[in-house]
Amino acid sequence: MDYMNLAIEEAEKAFNKGEVPVGVVIVKEGEVIACQHNLKEEKKLTTAHAEILAIEEASRKLNNWRLSGCEMYVTLEPCPMCASVIAQSRISKLFIGTFNKDMGACGSTINLLDYDIFNWKVDVKWCYNQKCSDLLTTFFENKRSKRI
């Protein structure tokens, strides 16, 4: 199963709601345990990023805040808030679909997951996917064109 494509489907849901199109899938032992997309505008919450919503869903499903052994697939490189929560939740592997040149906290701007402050190492895998980039580019082009 292509988990990044599932994450892209989640990002498309966000896009269709007028949310920044970021999607996340969390997998444990080959089973999808969480699928989420950004809901900041809908929920009117700063923390309603796809990564955090997916971690909350996975934690409820596993009845544990520790998500060791889980893999996260995310369409956009996590911001500092999300990177910190990913490390705190003990996600084992993080697959990233595209770079976040403005706020990326997994190597583009800063690499929070490279520090030993979390008492946990997340294995970060860059798997660039043009669909992830194109969805974001189209979203922000549409936003800018509506301002004029």
Side-chain angles (χ1 to χ4, degrees):
M1 179 174 285
D2 188 342
Y3 301 116
M4 188 58 74
N5 277 336
L6 287 177
I8 291 169
E9 289 175 17
E10 286 295 319
E12 288 169 342
K13 291 177 187 176
F15 182 95
N16 292 331
K17 292 178 179 180
E19 300 274 359
V20 175
V22 177
V24 172
V25 172
I26 298 178
V27 177
K28 183 159 186 164
E29 297 170 358
E31 178 188 350
V32 174
I33 59 169
C35 293
Q36 288 291 331
H37 54 276
N38 274 353
L39 291 173
K40 250 174 94 168
E41 301 299 329
E42 181 177 308
K43 291 183 175 272
K44 309 289 187 238
L45 288 172
T46 306
T47 57
H49 288 207
E51 299 92 330
I52 292 174
L53 297 172
I55 287 169
E56 290 172 348
E57 181 181 339
S59 293
R60 281 190 300 274
K61 182 159 188 175
L62 297 177
N63 195 32
N64 197 336
W65 66 268
R66 291 176 190 88
L67 300 180
S68 54
C70 291
E71 301 173 348
M72 176 183 279
Y73 296 79
V74 61
T75 57
L76 177 65
E77 178 184 4
C79 71
M81 174 180 70
C82 292
S84 296
V85 174
I86 288 165
Q88 290 288 338
S89 70
R90 310 292 198 260
I91 295 278
S92 295
K93 288 186 181 179
L94 175 64
F95 296 86
I96 302 171
T98 196
F99 306 94
N100 183 342
K101 66 179 179 66
D102 298 320
M103 294 189 306
C106 301
S108 291
T109 303
I110 189 170
N111 192 348
L112 291 180
L113 299 179
D114 198 34
Y115 293 98
D116 290 330
I117 59 174
F118 296 110
N119 196 28
W120 184 259
K121 281 289 185 192
V122 179
D123 184 11
V124 177
K125 305 286 187 191
W126 290 90
C127 49
Y128 184 78
N129 186 307
Q130 188 65 45
K131 290 180 191 175
C132 297
S133 293
D134 290 346
L135 198 55
L136 286 154
T137 299
T138 301
F139 177 81
F140 286 110
E141 284 174 353
N142 290 348
K143 285 286 243 191
R144 283 190 282 282
S145 69
K146 290 178 183 174
R147 287 186 188 163
I148 297 172

